């Protein structure tokens, strides 16, 4: 299964970044290609949510189960949609300067292997755009501060 991993050191606390990532209901306000979200259920430890993504005339709907371990980790497990599999993990580690280091990884598999090869070429670019959108959202909510990033393809 193709995957991408990125590590970023951010000047925001692990709690702040956990809250931002866990706020699925607001994704359409800042994430590219997210048209709508619907949170079906939500508790301290688990959420089930639907997301509609689109580009031009294409629209696809996904359902995910989100496991939450505040403020350390968020695991997103694909339940239903057009892919065979799509899982991602956010790990938040507090740093001595009051910020945090975020380790984000995503693994995906398309139902059609040919489409997986084609789409995989663009997935890296889309992934980078989404990670940048989370960082820009953090700057909007918590103040504009600098960060460092490292991308690792798997």
């Amino acid at each position: 299964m193709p995957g991408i991993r990125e590590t970023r050191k951010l000047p925001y606390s692990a709690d702040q970044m956990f809250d931002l990532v866990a706020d699925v209901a607001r994704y359409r306000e800042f994430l590219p290609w997210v048209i709508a979200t619907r949170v079906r259920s939500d508790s301290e430890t688990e959420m089930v949510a639907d997301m509609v993504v689109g580009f031009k005339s294409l629209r696809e709907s996904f359902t995910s189960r989100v496991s939450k371990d505040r403020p350390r980790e968020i695991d997103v497990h694909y339940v239903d949609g057009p892919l065979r599999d799509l899982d991602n993990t956010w790990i938040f580690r507090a740093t001595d300067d009051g910020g945090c280091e975020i380790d984000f990884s995503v693994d995906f598999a398309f139902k059609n292997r040919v489409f997986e090869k084609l789409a995989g070429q663009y997935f890296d670019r889309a992934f980078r755009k989404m990670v940048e959108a989370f960082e820009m959202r953090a700057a909007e909510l918590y103040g504009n501060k600098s960060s460092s990033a490292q991308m690792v393809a798997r």
Side-chain angles (χ1 to χ4, degrees):
M1 196 163 40
I4 298 173
R5 178 179 173 211
E6 180 157 325
T7 300
R8 291 204 181 218
K9 185 175 181 328
L10 298 172
Y12 315 107
S13 73
D15 284 311
Q16 288 174 315
M17 292 309 298
F18 182 96
D19 289 344
L20 190 154
V21 173
D23 193 5
V24 173
R26 300 190 74 183
Y27 278 11
R28 72 178 195 87
E29 295 176 20
F30 67 96
L31 275 180
W33 310 297
V34 174
I35 296 166
T37 56
R38 179 179 66 144
V39 176
R40 293 184 187 190
S41 63
D42 193 13
S43 73
E44 283 294 311
T45 60
E46 185 177 89
M47 173 192 314
V48 175
D50 300 322
M51 186 179 322
V52 178
V53 295
F55 181 73
K56 297 188 180 185
S57 64
L58 298 173
R59 300 274 187 275
E60 292 292 347
S61 193
F62 300 82
T63 301
S64 297
R65 182 174 316 287
V66 181
S67 301
K68 301 183 283 184
D69 180 14
R70 182 172 179 56
R72 290 178 289 282
E73 188 170 343
I74 295 176
D75 287 307
V76 182
H77 303 284
Y78 184 73
V79 174
D80 188 37
L83 302 172
R84 188 165 31 105
D85 200 15
L86 176 67
D87 294 316
N88 63 64
T89 301
W90 297 82
I91 298 172
F92 308 93
R93 287 183 291 279
T95 56
D96 292 337
D97 61 3
C100 73
E101 184 176 88
I102 298 174
D103 191 16
F104 176 68
S105 62
V106 62
D107 295 303
F108 59 96
F110 291 87
K111 291 177 181 172
N112 180 319
R113 293 254 185 229
V114 173
F115 187 68
E116 182 172 295
K117 272 195 167 304
L118 291 171
Q121 298 171 19
Y122 300 99
F123 196 79
D124 179 71
R125 224 176 313 163
F127 175 81
R128 286 177 194 255
K129 235 179 143 69
M130 287 178 52
V131 171
E132 288 170 7
F134 276 101
E135 189 171 353
M136 289 176 12
R137 180 64 169 187
E140 283 177 26
L141 295 176
Y142 310 127
N144 192 5
K145 303 173 185 176
S146 63
S147 68
S148 63
Q150 174 187 20
M151 175 160 288
V152 181
R154 293 189 285 154

